[in-house]
Amino acid sequence: QDLGQDQLVIAPDYPGLGQSDRPERALDIADHADIMAEVLIAAGWGPEGRGPVDVCGYHTGAFISTELALRHPALVRKLVLIGIPFYEGAERVERHEKLGKVRPLPNLFAALEQDWTFAVAKRAKGVALERGFENFIESAAAWQNRSRIYGAVFQYPAEQRAPLLMHPTLVLNPHGNLQEPTQAFAS
């Protein structure tokens, strides 16, 4: 809300998450970047429109933002990347196996308990109960599609793509379990 006071903020859902339709096939990070480019161009941004945009990406969005800048350089002016899930080798494979495989829909609440604990019971300081509950509902609604986007994240060759960035980039490294991966990405 505060970001939109002196500039326009556009925050589209990824296909299959939020209120958007599920894609017919699994999408990789490049697909997501191209879709975001289509959204921005359709909204009148880019070299043929109102000019380039500043892009901010958190977690999955950090890789989509990186790829957007690489695939559509004239569309992006600057990048802000936050909490980057940059893992290499066996650790990336392990995360892909754990988070990137589509799981059957749950038939017991116990399957959702970890999401409830993360979003509601142990939500970050300053996150209202109402917002935590909304986050839980969004997470539950995206049960299978969330695995698809994590699959894309943990197959993205960030170690090859990130060094190609030429745009001014600010990497923010907040507290949490992504501090070390974010530092590794920024190095």
Side-chain angles (χ1 to χ4, degrees), residues 122-165:
K122 294 185 178 178
R123 65 190 180 280
K125 183 179 178 181
V127 174
L129 176 60
E130 181 177 308
R131 182 63 186 142
F133 185 77
E134 290 169 356
N135 288 342
F136 170 74
I137 296 298
E138 284 184 24
S139 178
W143 183 262
Q144 292 181 312
N145 293 321
R146 185 179 55 198
S147 297
R148 289 183 179 99
I149 191 77
Y150 284 156
V153 165
F154 297 120
Q155 291 180 332
Y156 182 64
E159 67 281 356
Q160 297 167 11
R161 301 298 285 159
L164 303 176
L165 273 177

Side-chain angles (χ1 to χ4, degrees), residues 66-124:
T66 297
E67 198 61 24
L68 177 66
L70 293 172
R71 295 175 69 83
H72 305 276
L75 186 58
V76 176
R77 185 172 73 109
K78 295 179 181 178
L79 294 166
V80 177
L81 307 177
I82 308 166
I84 304 166
F86 178 66
Y87 299 96
E88 296 182 274
E91 191 170 13
R92 180 167 37 190
V93 170
E94 177 184 324
R95 288 183 179 274
H96 182 266
E97 289 297 317
K98 181 179 178 184
L99 301 170
K101 303 289 183 176
V102 177
R103 301 172 290 167
L105 291 172
N107 60 3
L108 297 172
F109 178 75
L112 296 169
E113 192 169 1
Q114 181 179 356
D115 290 349
W116 177 266
T117 299
F118 177 79
V120 180
K122 294 185 178 178
R123 65 190 180 280

Side-chain angles (χ1 to χ4, degrees), residues 53-75:
V53 297
D54 296 335
V55 179
C56 179
Y58 173 75
H59 194 279
T60 304
F63 288 161
I64 294 172
S65 299
T66 297
E67 198 61 24
L68 177 66
L70 293 172
R71 295 175 69 83
H72 305 276
L75 186 58

Side-chain angles (χ1 to χ4, degrees), residues 15-26:
L17 299 176
Q19 298 299 310
S20 68
D21 293 335
R22 187 169 84 186
E24 295 178 13
R25 63 177 179 80

